[in-house]
Amino acid sequence: MSDTMNIEDYLTKGGVLSAPNNVPARYRGELMRMMSSFVDSELAASAGFASSINFAPAIKERIAASRITLEKADHAERVLNIMGDFGTDKRRYQTQYDWAARVSRDSNLGTTRKEGDMRVSVFHYPIIGWTDAVVMNVLQGLATGVLMTEFTRISYAPLAEVFREIAPRETRHMQLGLEGLTSIVRTDTSREEAAASIAYWRPRVAAGFGDPQSGRFEILARFGLRHSPNSALLSRWQSECSAILTPLGL
């Protein structure tokens, strides 16, 4: 108990851990939960964008969707490799769920997650067309960017380094979506379609930040796995959404 508390004090003061063998049990559990959520979400996102490739209206857009599909799968693999250091059976893990499975369009899962499947709830919803795919990519891309400000500073050094490598590519995914959205809103009809899609996806992406009243933040903060509460991250994302969507008339 004393050793564990000493490590917690070390982490609270900004210390970092560098290998599985010096990770306390509770810290390990929270770290694995965080990694599982990221891996599951990236695999589900990749599967979702794979189905969107054929929605693309032209070659440039098909390339963008293909790139996002590929790189999100790569990001999942990089973090899964870290999980492998903790004993996760990587081959079994990546085949345990149908990552392309989706609920009905009118479902409302809120912040809940399906048993075992740790993907963020937004990745359970279906994408129904190119505009829908672009809007979802922009809104979720902004959310991922906000979350990366947390992930790149976590106290498990090998994972933080992977996230620092991943972060610029996740930003580029959002930028590709924004280029597509800027093109889409050039006509009134397309702008109305984008606005309807935003109305659908915005609350579902927001739910991915979790319960603003959750008490888990205090635990994660003590371990150096979080630095800002859910409410602060959600507020930052909402501000970034407004900054990008308002100039587009959305």
Side-chain angles (χ1 to χ4, degrees):
M1 180 65 176
S2 177
D3 289 344
T4 300
M5 290 304 296
N6 287 338
I7 290 177
E8 285 191 18
D9 289 342
Y10 168 73
L11 293 170
T12 300
K13 294 175 182 177
V16 298
L17 302 178
S18 58
N21 59 6
N22 61 3
V23 169
R26 181 64 186 275
Y27 179 100
R28 179 187 185 279
E30 297 295 348
L31 183 66
M32 293 296 286
R33 177 186 175 91
M34 177 180 289
M35 290 192 288
S36 292
S37 178
F38 182 83
V39 170
D40 292 8
S41 295
E42 290 291 281
L43 288 173
S46 178
F49 279 103
S51 67
S52 297
I53 294 172
N54 288 328
F55 292 144
I59 293 175
K60 180 181 178 181
E61 288 83 357
R62 289 180 70 88
I63 291 172
S66 298
R67 176 176 178 174
I68 291 170
T69 298
L70 170 65
E71 292 183 350
K72 286 192 177 296
D74 176 67
H75 297 171
E77 183 179 45
R78 293 187 190 204
V79 175
L80 186 55
N81 285 338
I82 302 292
M83 294 177 69
D85 295 339
F86 288 86
T88 297
D89 183 333
K90 296 186 293 183
R91 181 176 293 276
R92 181 179 179 183
Y93 187 96
Q94 61 190 286
T95 59
Q96 64 183 326
Y97 299 112
D98 178 3
W99 304 111
R102 296 296 188 266
V103 297
S104 65
R105 179 77 173 181
D106 59 355
S107 298
N108 190 353
L109 302 176
T111 61
T112 61
R113 305 194 188 202
K114 293 196 171 183
E115 183 177 355
D117 187 336
M118 291 292 290
R119 77 179 80 175
V120 176
S121 60
V122 70
F123 295 113
H124 283 294
Y125 300 106
I127 294 171
I128 59 172
W130 182 247
T131 296
D132 204 50
V134 169
V135 166
M136 190 275 186
N137 182 46
V138 171
L139 297 183
Q140 182 57 39
L142 289 171
T144 300
V146 169
L147 292 170
M148 280 293 166
T149 64
E150 296 281 289
F151 294 163
T152 56
R153 297 184 292 155
I154 65 172
S155 56
Y156 190 65
L159 182 58
E161 179 59 32
V162 168
F163 280 136
R164 285 191 286 271
E165 294 170 355
I166 287 172
R169 297 208 296 183
E170 290 287 352
T171 298
R172 180 55 180 158
H173 294 172
M174 187 282 295
Q175 291 170 340
L176 288 170
L178 184 55
E179 290 174 12
L181 185 58
T182 301
S183 178
I184 286 169
V185 299
R186 288 174 182 163
T187 68
D188 290 341
T189 300
S190 296
R191 186 180 297 107
E192 289 175 4
E193 182 182 1
S197 187
I198 288 168
Y200 177 83
W201 286 109
R202 196 163 187 167
R204 288 166 172 80
V205 174
F209 288 96
D211 182 357
Q213 307 303 319
S214 172
R216 291 180 53 78
F217 171 72
E218 287 74 16
I219 297 170
L220 296 173
R222 287 206 310 269
F223 288 146
L225 295 175
R226 286 285 300 275
H227 302 276
S228 302
N230 293 345
S231 57
L233 297 178
L234 176 60
S235 178
R236 193 182 311 163
W237 172 75
Q238 290 171 332
S239 295
E240 292 189 9
C241 285
S242 296
I244 281 181
L245 297 177
T246 300
L248 296 177
L250 297 169

